[in-house]
Amino acid sequence: MQPMSAPPATILVADDSGSAREMLEHTLRAHGYCVLAATNGDEAVSILEGHTVDLALIDVLMPGQNGFAVCRRFKARAETRLTPVVLISGLGRVEDRIRGLEAGADDFLCKPVRQEELLARVKSLVRLKRFIDEMESAETVLFALARSIEAKDAYTQGHGDRLSHYSLALAERLGLPDEDQLALRRGGVLHDVGKVAVPEWVLLKPGPLNATERKLMEAHPITGERICAPLKSFRNLLPIIRWHHERQNGTGYPDRLSGSEIPTTTRVLQTADIYDSLTTDRPYRRALTSEHAFTVMHEEVRRGWWDGALVDEFEDLLKGIAANASREPFAEPRKAELAKALEEERLGRVRIA
Ligand SMILES: [Fe+2]
């Protein structure tokens, strides 16, 4: 009897007791699951590292690595960290549960395991795993889409990953909560995903955009928000996508927000975005040095575009990193060179979206 749509879920059963292991194997196989069996902790780890598993049922007391250690290994690997782990213990003590939770276990079963309880837990956790897989697939597709847009333009390749990196560093410095940091990690790559609806002749046009082209380009934050909105786990990402072209003085788009109406996460991403745009080659100018980039950014803060406090924080952060790496301190920019860079940037910004 198969309780779910194909393919059947694969379950790892690890128990050194032959009779307990056989009971679990038999029950699960009889209900349509694929079972991989391990007789000790080391075997369990090698199965986990060599196979795709949807759920792991791990006995706590086993020779070699015990259940807690196996669980920790499982949860430490990127490939398996979201796979549910159920620890099976004959002790049922509170301390064991606490140790299990600390190791990352998702659920517990007490020996002797009752068949009905086993099947109910397995069914529910496999459903959860399938849901996580679907979410991960959706995220993977969106990331691939964003990277394919980035790859169309040689000047923006790698921009998303650098943006994630800079935004996260600034978010950590500001002590933003984990959910904001996750939104920024995703936002670095996905903030421009709406450009998928912008025609290539507009996206790649080297010169300034006319009014029609500008309208097409300026629709991308709203399109991006629409693309990501169906994913509930992307809720914190939507303000970043929709408002990453707003400005502090209300002259941005699409909603002409101003000041603190622009959420902190969005302002963090903007700070990193401007810096990365300035410090990479563009069709109309070479990459600016870090000190030139910050001079341009401070000038734009004075014009009312960006959050000055965040620009200052980001500059301090990068200076600290440079100092730790024993690099040369920022040099005073040469005035003529700087004026030229500012003017080129001003002209270039006419078309940056
Ligand atoms: Fe954008």
Side-chain angles (χ1 to χ4, degrees), residues 159 191-193 195 217 220-221 241 244-245 253 273 352-353:
H159 174 62
H191 69 288
D192 270 342
V193 71
K195 283 185 177 172
M217 182 66 106
H220 80 270
I241 295 179
H244 72 276
H245 285 292
Y253 63 90
D273 192 14
I352 290 178

Side-chain angles (χ1 to χ4, degrees), residues 276-294:
D276 190 64
S277 302
L278 291 170
T279 53
T280 47
D281 285 338
R282 297 281 141 163
Y284 48 88
R285 61 147 171 78
R286 303 279 300 167
L288 302 189
T289 60
S290 196
E291 63 268 33
H292 282 197
F294 277 111

Side-chain angles (χ1 to χ4, degrees), residues 91-113:
L91 307 169
R93 295 181 311 184
V94 176
E95 310 88 85
D96 284 334
R97 286 195 168 237
I98 292 169
R99 271 187 81 187
L101 288 171
E102 284 169 354
D106 299 273
D107 209 342
F108 300 88
L109 280 170
C110 284
K111 282 185 175 178
V113 177

Side-chain angles (χ1 to χ4, degrees), residues 17-30:
S17 152
S19 58
R21 192 177 61 246
E22 278 159 22
M23 186 284 281
L24 293 170
E25 275 190 78
H26 176 77
T27 306
L28 293 170
R29 286 210 171 101

Side-chain angles (χ1 to χ4, degrees), residues 182-209:
L182 177 62
L184 283 163
R185 187 183 69 75
R186 288 168 165 161
V189 177
L190 291 174
H191 69 288
D192 270 342
V193 71
K195 283 185 177 172
V196 70
V198 178
E200 269 190 36
W201 54 272
V202 175
L203 201 60
L204 304 178
K205 186 178 175 182
L209 304 180

Side-chain angles (χ1 to χ4, degrees), residues 19-83:
S19 58
R21 192 177 61 246
E22 278 159 22
M23 186 284 281
L24 293 170
E25 275 190 78
H26 176 77
T27 306
L28 293 170
R29 286 210 171 101
H31 286 80
Y33 297 101
C34 287
V35 179
L36 300 170
T39 58
N40 58 54
D42 295 335
E43 230 177 271
V45 168
S46 78
I47 289 175
L48 292 176
E49 292 179 351
H51 296 79
T52 301
V53 169
D54 294 300
L55 171 66
L57 303 176
I58 315 276
D59 185 28
V60 168
L61 296 174
M62 287 188 294
Q65 299 188 57
N66 66 19
F68 300 124
V70 175
C71 183
R72 263 194 299 276
R73 288 277 292 261
F74 204 41
K75 295 294 181 179
R77 292 178 73 232
E79 301 87 340
T80 51
R81 76 191 159 85
L82 295 176
T83 303

